[in-house]
Amino acid sequence: MFLPMLTSLALKLNAATSRFATEASLACTTWSGPELARAGALRSRNIDVAVLGLAAVLPWSTSATSIFGIAIFFLIWPTIKTERLVAALSQPAGALPIALVVLAAIGTAWATGVPCSERLGALDKMIKLLLLPLLLLHFRYSRRATWIFAAFVGSNVILLGYSFLAYAVPSMAIVEKVGYAGVPVRNYIDQSQGFAFVATALAGLAFEAASRKDRYSAAALGATASLFFVNLAFVNVARTAFFYIPIMLVLLTVRYVNRRQVVAGLIGAAIICGGLWQISPNLHRKVSTIFAELAVQPDAPIGENEPSAAMRLEFWRKSLRFFEMAPVMGHGTGSIRGLFQQDAIGQAGVSAVIVRNPHNQTLAAAVQWGSIGIIILWVMWIAHLRLFCISAPVAWIGMLATVQNIASSVFNSHLMDTYEGWLYVLAVGVAGGEVLRIQSNTAIASKGAHQEACI
């Protein structure tokens, strides 16, 4: 009984292995001839699979994320046609991320007195942005953008379940640290960023489904979004989320709620937030510590729990002073730590803390690359916001990712951070490519209709 089953399984496995080997060979070696179209389709599929893998591992592993990122770059690069690349780089959404990386690379030249390891380490944090225009270019022609978002949501749903389990049984968590209740992997800042993004994105898609009278999909999407918000409210949340979640919810309200109902919607959201504040010990604890930390004096001794709110204020104050010292070109890539180290001499308490990251993306650019860095950074963000100013559901996802990154970068340098930076590259690259494909198809259809009208 088992022998025929094993034989059949072995034959199927052998056939699948042979097919995979044939397709891999075709995709890698065929660049002309009658099989070119099939080879191109296989290469496109392989890229989509790699991007899907990146979306799936992003909430879980830093190392796996980097591996998939490198793989995607080497898979996409050979498939790019020169004329398409030139066209992509002629658009601000694709050109500006590269400009920011180029500035960081050139900035290593004027980082006087900065160790080579610091320069390369700071540059390495920006390299991921090179993949963004390549994703824009690839997904302008691929039709699998929905798969990528589904993989990221599915991965976060699994992590959500694991988070509730780890909160109930702390020993089940891979990461066990004080203050990390319900955070089984990575850290609570990354988990909050991902959960807030998925929750608000799904809430928007629930409105989309409701507008189509698809009640079951709307209910399922709304319920899933609610579970993510419940986790943020009662399990664990980064305090930065208190700033960017309200902004995301306002964006959701403005986009999907009738103009006459916007005020009512905002009042309702405020009432819900107030109710959560009354019944959630997690929110009470997180908010109360902010005010306690802000009262800490810069030269006061640091206790067991770092007063991160007071530390941020001190980092910002010093960074502004460093920017005033070199307002045009900055101090060079990787110079932040050296400047804080020099300034900490003779200081005590919070004023003596040495960091590589001022916990503000604009100030991180200002210190290293001066006004030039600030301009390129903000023009890039604005270009990506403009890219998503259409009504398609995929534009909602891209817009949300961009707004969240801008808002969270007030309190963190999130383009430089691993999880948040990759989330931005992935969401903006995939959603932006799909938006460009929609716009291209619309333009072609409009041109065809115009020609028919003329005839």
Side-chain angles (χ1 to χ4, degrees):
M1 179 178 177
F2 292 104
L3 184 59
M5 290 177 61
L6 290 175
T7 303
S8 175
L9 182 61
L11 289 173
K12 290 180 180 179
L13 182 61
N14 182 61
T17 303
S18 177
R19 184 172 65 255
F20 175 80
T22 301
E23 291 179 348
S25 176
L26 186 65
C28 293
T29 62
T30 304
W31 298 92
S32 62
E35 292 286 352
L36 179 60
R38 185 184 172 204
L42 290 173
R43 283 191 284 269
S44 180
R45 184 201 64 183
N46 292 342
I47 294 168
D48 292 333
V49 170
V51 178
L52 189 146
L54 172 62
V57 303
L58 180 57
W60 299 86
S61 170
T62 299
S63 300
T65 297
S66 299
I67 291 170
F68 273 101
I70 294 169
I72 292 165
F73 181 86
F74 284 106
L75 285 170
I76 291 181
W77 187 254
T79 69
I80 296 175
K81 296 180 179 180
T82 304
E83 61 274 14
R84 288 183 177 179
L85 180 60
V86 171
L89 295 183
S90 66
Q91 297 177 332
L96 288 166
I98 294 179
L100 197 56
V101 177
V102 170
L103 177 63
I106 297 174
T108 59
W110 68 77
T112 308
V114 178
C116 186
S117 60
E118 291 288 337
R119 302 185 199 193
L120 294 179
L123 176 60
D124 182 61
K125 294 179 182 297
M126 304 299 295
I127 290 293
K128 66 177 81 70
L129 289 176
L130 291 177
L131 193 60
L132 199 158
L134 299 184
L135 291 174
L136 285 172
L137 183 58
H138 174 73
F139 283 95
R140 185 170 184 170
Y141 302 97
S142 172
R143 294 179 176 272
R144 300 188 179 101
T146 305
W147 294 16
I148 311 306
F149 181 63
F152 184 71
V153 171
S155 185
N156 274 278
V157 168
I158 295 171
L159 181 58
L160 176 69
Y162 191 9
S163 174
F164 281 121
L165 177 62
Y167 183 70
V169 187
S171 60
M172 296 292 292
I174 296 174
V175 176
E176 282 193 79
K177 295 181 181 178
V178 175
Y180 274 52
V183 184
V185 295
R186 284 190 174 274
N187 58 72
Y188 62 87
I189 297 176
D190 295 350
Q191 181 170 294
S192 297
Q193 191 89 0
F195 282 7
F197 171 69
V198 172
T200 316
L202 291 180
L205 295 180
F207 278 107
E208 295 273 0
S211 67
R212 299 191 306 268
K213 308 299 182 183
D214 187 353
R215 297 179 181 178
Y216 294 108
S217 295
L221 291 166
T224 306
S226 298
L227 286 174
F228 280 103
F229 282 125
V230 166
N231 185 279
L232 290 167
F234 294 98
V235 175
N236 211 324
V237 64
R239 293 182 299 183
T240 306
F242 298 151
F243 182 73
Y244 63 72
I245 287 180
I247 294 174
M248 294 162 74
L249 292 178
V250 169
L251 183 66
L252 175 74
T253 304
V254 171
R255 184 179 176 96
Y256 288 107
V257 176
N258 185 288
R259 290 185 179 181
R260 288 176 292 183
Q261 298 173 336
V262 166
V263 175
L266 293 176
I267 293 174
I271 293 172
I272 292 173
C273 291
L276 290 174
W277 164 254
Q278 292 296 324
I279 61 176
S280 171
N282 175 45
L283 296 181
H284 266 283
R285 183 176 65 255
K286 294 283 184 174
V287 173
S288 61
T289 56
I290 294 176
F291 295 101
E293 290 173 4
L294 289 174
V296 175
Q297 296 300 312
D299 57 350
I302 298 175
E304 293 183 5
N305 297 320
E306 293 184 344
S308 60
M311 292 169 69
R312 274 179 169 79
L313 292 178
E314 186 68 4
F315 297 160
W316 298 347
R317 184 184 65 80
K318 289 188 176 185
S319 295
L320 286 171
R321 191 169 72 249
F322 299 151
F323 170 60
E324 291 173 356
M325 294 164 57
V328 179
M329 298 177 64
H331 299 270
T333 305
S335 59
I336 295 174
R337 186 180 188 281
L339 291 168
F340 273 91
Q341 187 173 28
Q342 186 176 6
D343 192 81
I345 297 173
Q347 302 287 341
V350 171
S351 296
V353 176
I354 300 170
V355 292
R356 292 184 173 88
N357 174 8
H359 291 78
N360 178 287
Q361 187 62 63
T362 302
L363 289 176
V367 172
Q368 296 179 96
W369 313 304
S371 300
I372 299 173
I374 296 174
I375 291 170
I376 294 177
L377 171 67
W378 275 94
V379 172
M380 181 190 74
W381 273 333
I382 292 169
H384 290 156
L385 287 174
R386 287 173 59 85
L387 177 62
F388 298 116
C389 289
I390 66 172
S391 60
V394 70
W396 159 244
I397 294 170
M399 176 69 76
L400 187 67
T402 307
V403 168
Q404 183 186 34
N405 189 266
I406 295 171
S408 65
S409 290
V410 173
F411 298 97
N412 299 280
S413 301
H414 269 170
L415 282 178
M416 297 163 58
D417 291 337
T418 301
Y419 178 85
E420 290 79 8
W422 273 112
L423 176 58
Y424 184 77
V425 169
L426 180 69
V428 174
V430 175
E434 179 73 4
V435 166
L436 291 174
R437 187 179 69 81
I438 292 170
Q439 291 175 335
S440 178
N441 291 342
T442 303
I444 292 172
S446 298
K447 184 178 180 181
H450 178 70
Q451 290 176 344
E452 288 181 3
C454 291
I455 293 171

